[in-house]
Amino acid sequence: MAPRGETTGYAPMAKLTFGFFSFLLVVSTTNGLPLPPEMYYQAGNIRCLRCPAGTYVGVPCTTQDTVGKCFPCHTGSSFSEGFTGLDHCLNCLSCRDDQEEVRPCTATQNAECRCKKGTYCPLDHPCEVCLTCTESCPPGQELQFPCNSTSDSHCGPAQSGSWIIMVCVPILLILLLLIGLCLCKHLKWCKDRRSRVQMTENPDTEGIPLIYPCLVFSAETKKEDQEAIFRRSWDHFVEEVPMPKWDQFMRMLCLSPNSVNEAKENNRDNSREQKIAMLDAWYQQKSGNVNELLSYLHSIRLHTPATIIVQKLLQEGYYVDTN
Ligand SMILES: *[C@@H]1O[C@H](CO)[C@@H](O)[C@H](O)[C@H]1NC(C)=O
C-alpha cells in the first residue's frame, strides 16, 4: 500500500522516535524481554506493535508482534500522541474566532486554544462560545480574583471595609462638628457662652471699678495751669499702657494713620516722645480731657492701668474724683 504522499511531512523528530522504537524492538526481541501490553494492538487475528507518536499505521504487520509500516502525520494539520495503532492521524484543533492559540499543533501534540482576553470558558463546561467576563463587582463587594480564560472574576465582601470606616467616620464627625460650630454662631445660647468664655479668659476683669471715677480739677488748680497739668498726666498713660496695647489705644482716639506716622517720624528712637506726640495730635484735633482717655482704656479692657493712673492723678492733688 502506498504511503499516500505523506512522507513529505515526515518530521526528523518522528524519525528519531521511530529509530528509538526500532532499537527497543530489536533489544526486546533479541533479549526476549516482553514489552508492556499497551505497546500492542490487534490487527485481525494477528498482534502488532504500535507505531510511534507522530505517525499512523499505514500497513499493519503480517508477522506476529512486529511493527507494520508507519507513515508520518501531516505536521500542522494532523497529529498522533504516544504510540498508536490507528490507521490515521487525528486532525489538529483549530482555534475559533473568539479564541487565541496558546500552542501550535505539532506531529505529536494537538494545538491548544484559550478564550481571548476579557472572555472565559469554565473548565467544567464544554466551551462552545467564550463568555464575557464580569467587569465590576456589586456595591459593597470587591474583586478577589480577576477574570482569566477559565474562570470569571470573583467578587467577595470588601475586606478593606473596616479601613474605609476608620477613615470616613472621623472625617464625617469633624464635618458635623464644623457644621455645628457654624450653626452655633447664630444661636443665642452660644453667644452667651462665648461672652462667658471671654470674661473668664480676660485676666483684667477684676480691675473693673464698681464706679468709674470722674475727675475734675480741684478748686486750688488755676485755670491757666489746667492744660499743662493735663499734658503732664500723659506721662502716666505712656508709663502704664502696655506697649502692645498702645496702637489699639490710639485707634480709640480716632488718630489718623498719618498722624501716627508723623509722630513716629518726628521722634525717631524715642518711643516716649512718639507717644506724647500722638496724644498731642489727638488733643489738637479734639481737645478732650483725662476722663475721655481713661474711658478709652476701659473700653479696651485696660482696667488696671486706668485705675493706677487715677490713683497717681489723685495723689498729685490737681484732680479730685466727683464720684
Ligand atoms: C484562573 O483563576 C482561578 C481562580 O479565579 C484559578 O484557580 C486558576 O488557576 C486560574 N487559571 C489560570 C490559567 O490562570
Side-chain angles (χ1 to χ4, degrees):
M1 196 176 166
R4 294 180 296 190
E6 298 211 354
T7 37
T8 43
Y10 205 128
M13 185 62 193
K15 254 183 201 163
L16 208 73
T17 321
F18 193 41
F20 172 72
F21 181 71
S22 311
F23 168 74
L24 200 72
L25 196 67
V26 169
V27 168
S28 72
T29 43
T30 49
N31 288 1
L33 287 171
L35 287 165
E38 60 269 22
M39 293 294 287
Y40 301 94
Y41 69 98
Q42 205 66 32
N45 297 328
I46 212 167
R47 197 174 71 161
C48 299
L49 269 166
R50 289 175 188 271
C51 286
T55 66
Y56 67 96
V57 179
V59 183
C61 67
T62 47
T63 314
Q64 173 83 5
D65 291 349
T66 59
V67 191
K69 286 199 169 142
C70 302
F71 297 134
C73 298
H74 236 319
T75 306
S77 63
S78 66
F79 73 99
S80 64
E81 240 180 274
F83 291 101
T84 177
L86 290 179
D87 64 353
H88 61 275
C89 292
L90 301 173
N91 285 330
C92 288
L93 180 68
S94 59
C95 298
R96 292 195 314 263
D97 282 350
D98 63 347
Q99 292 178 318
E100 59 191 4
E101 196 178 68
V102 186
R103 203 183 51 206
C105 192
T106 65
T108 57
Q109 202 172 35
N110 201 358
E112 203 182 303
C113 306
R114 71 169 170 221
C115 289
K116 286 181 175 167
K117 204 171 158 63
T119 62
Y120 71 101
C121 258
L123 281 178
D124 50 353
H125 286 273
C127 187
E128 279 164 5
V129 66
C130 295
L131 307 171
T132 307
C133 294
T134 307
E135 270 180 15
S136 57
C137 292
Q141 298 209 335
E142 64 177 16
L143 188 68
Q144 288 188 332
F145 298 105
C147 186
N148 62 29
S149 58
T150 58
S151 168
D152 194 8
S153 335
H154 280 281
C155 295
Q159 305 239 313
S160 53
S162 54
W163 178 84
I164 287 171
I165 287 169
M166 273 164 63
V167 172
C168 286
V169 167
I171 290 175
L172 215 70
L173 284 179
I174 289 168
L175 277 177
L176 284 176
L177 200 75
L178 287 177
I179 291 168
L181 281 177
C182 287
L183 288 175
C184 182
K185 270 188 174 176
H186 302 284
L187 292 175
K188 193 184 174 301
W189 69 269
C190 284
K191 280 185 193 158
D192 292 349
R193 194 182 146 71
R194 258 214 315 278
S195 54
R196 269 206 305 281
V197 168
Q198 274 178 354
M199 295 269 275
T200 50
E201 274 173 355
N202 180 9
D204 204 17
T205 318
E206 290 157 20
I208 300 175
L210 285 175
I211 302 164
Y212 286 97
C214 188
L215 299 185
V216 293
F217 287 106
S218 59
E220 297 88 56
T221 312
K222 287 180 200 157
K223 192 94 180 153
E224 58 266 31
D225 294 338
Q226 288 180 357
E227 190 187 324
I229 288 166
F230 177 44
R231 283 175 174 278
R232 242 183 288 148
S233 76
W234 297 351
D235 273 329
H236 299 318
F237 287 89
V238 171
E239 268 170 40
E240 298 303 329
V241 175
M243 191 62 189
K245 287 282 188 174
W246 186 265
D247 286 346
Q248 201 183 351
F249 182 35
M250 290 301 105
R251 281 195 294 277
M252 296 305 295
L253 302 188
C254 298
L255 208 58
S256 70
N258 263 347
S259 306
V260 172
N261 287 335
E262 206 178 288
K264 285 182 180 171
E265 280 293 307
N266 295 340
N267 300 281
R268 281 171 193 267
D269 307 322
N270 190 334
S271 89
R272 181 195 167 271
E273 287 305 321
Q274 284 179 8
K275 289 171 178 175
I276 295 289
M278 288 178 207
L279 288 172
D280 184 53
W282 163 76
Y283 185 66
Q284 285 180 19
Q285 281 171 24
K286 308 265 168 65
S287 49
N289 62 38
V290 75
N291 290 312
E292 250 177 85
L293 290 183
L294 290 169
S295 72
Y296 291 142
L297 290 189
H298 285 297
S299 69
I300 56 173
R301 296 206 196 86
L302 293 175
H303 304 298
T304 306
T307 308
I308 292 169
I309 292 167
V310 169
Q311 282 168 1
K312 285 182 172 179
L313 291 174
L314 292 177
Q315 271 170 19
E316 286 168 2
Y318 299 112
Y319 284 101
V320 287
D321 185 1
T322 60
N323 278 342

